[in-house]
Amino acid sequence: MTALYNKTYYNQIKKQKNKLLTIYFILLAIAILFVAGIIVFYALQPYGTDKKTSLMVAMFLITCIFTLFSGVYLSIPYGRVSKYYKFLTNLLYSKKQSFNVTVVSIGGENKTNYGVDFYTLEVLEWSDTQNDYVKHKILVDNEFKNLDVNEGDMLTITTSLNALMEFSKK
């Protein structure tokens, strides 16, 4: 069986998520220290000085720039890794199903489910209840573009949350 996801991969994504969060908190601490330093320096200025206006503007700019940075950073890189980590957590700890299938087409359409980009692997699966083959669309993570699978291959696949986890050729 060729496993697409395993504990090592899960731990790598977890490390990446924690690293991005640590970087954010370090930058937050630096911004807070700058603003606190400006406030202290502002409070130590004499009453009639011209520096107070420039200090207020500097504090306002630092706050605005960091707020914009936070929105972009937390929504794009950290947000994507966080959603991917949540998907992997759900995938690894949810119910898994195994099927014997025949591949009909690969990479039909791109979808975004669970905040993760997928392409589809269309397969034929035998249904005992209908006594016929049923087309089934399996989601394959875009991280795994070069699977060693061709149209017409007979596979044994393991899925969870309708996403391909493992496969082996017959």
Side-chain angles (χ1 to χ4, degrees):
M1 279 263 182
T2 303
L4 301 181
Y5 305 104
N6 55 28
K7 279 288 198 183
T8 306
Y9 186 69
Y10 175 78
N11 290 334
Q12 275 181 323
I13 299 298
K14 185 177 182 179
K15 246 187 232 180
Q16 185 179 7
K17 177 186 167 226
N18 290 340
K19 179 180 161 189
L20 289 172
L21 197 58
T22 302
I23 289 170
Y24 176 76
F25 281 126
I26 288 170
L27 293 174
L28 176 64
I30 290 170
I32 289 173
L33 286 175
F34 269 114
V35 170
I38 289 172
I39 289 172
V40 168
F41 191 65
Y42 177 85
L44 295 175
Q45 294 300 310
Y47 177 72
T49 185
D50 294 337
K51 290 183 182 178
K52 286 190 172 188
T53 306
S54 60
L55 290 173
M56 291 300 286
V57 169
M59 186 174 67
F60 178 75
L61 287 175
I62 289 172
T63 305
C64 287
I65 289 170
F66 189 77
T67 302
L68 290 173
F69 167 77
S70 294
V72 171
Y73 185 81
L74 290 176
S75 66
I76 298 174
Y78 178 76
R80 288 188 60 84
V81 170
S82 180
K83 287 177 184 176
Y84 195 66
Y85 173 73
K86 185 177 179 183
F87 163 72
L88 285 178
T89 302
N90 291 337
L91 186 74
L92 291 176
Y93 297 110
S94 64
K95 184 179 176 186
K96 294 156 187 60
Q97 299 173 328
S98 293
F99 305 102
N100 293 320
V101 298
T102 304
V103 178
V104 176
S105 68
I106 302 168
E109 58 185 280
N110 290 325
K111 290 185 173 184
T112 301
N113 285 359
Y114 318 108
V116 180
D117 296 328
F118 293 99
Y119 66 92
T120 57
L121 178 70
E122 198 168 312
V123 297
L124 285 177
E125 173 191 354
W126 178 257
S127 173
D128 291 331
T129 57
Q130 296 178 359
N131 288 328
D132 197 10
Y133 285 99
V134 177
K135 274 191 179 180
H136 192 65
K137 291 185 179 181
I138 305 294
L139 300 174
V140 182
D141 190 351
N142 275 345
E143 297 283 324
F144 306 105
K145 276 286 191 191
N146 300 323
L147 293 180
D148 186 26
V149 175
N150 299 315
E151 292 180 8
D153 285 351
M154 300 283 290
L155 302 175
T156 300
I157 62 172
T158 302
T159 63
S160 179
L161 303 174
N162 200 34
L164 182 66
M165 288 187 65
E166 299 175 337
F167 71 93
S168 66
K169 290 186 177 184
K170 286 187 173 185

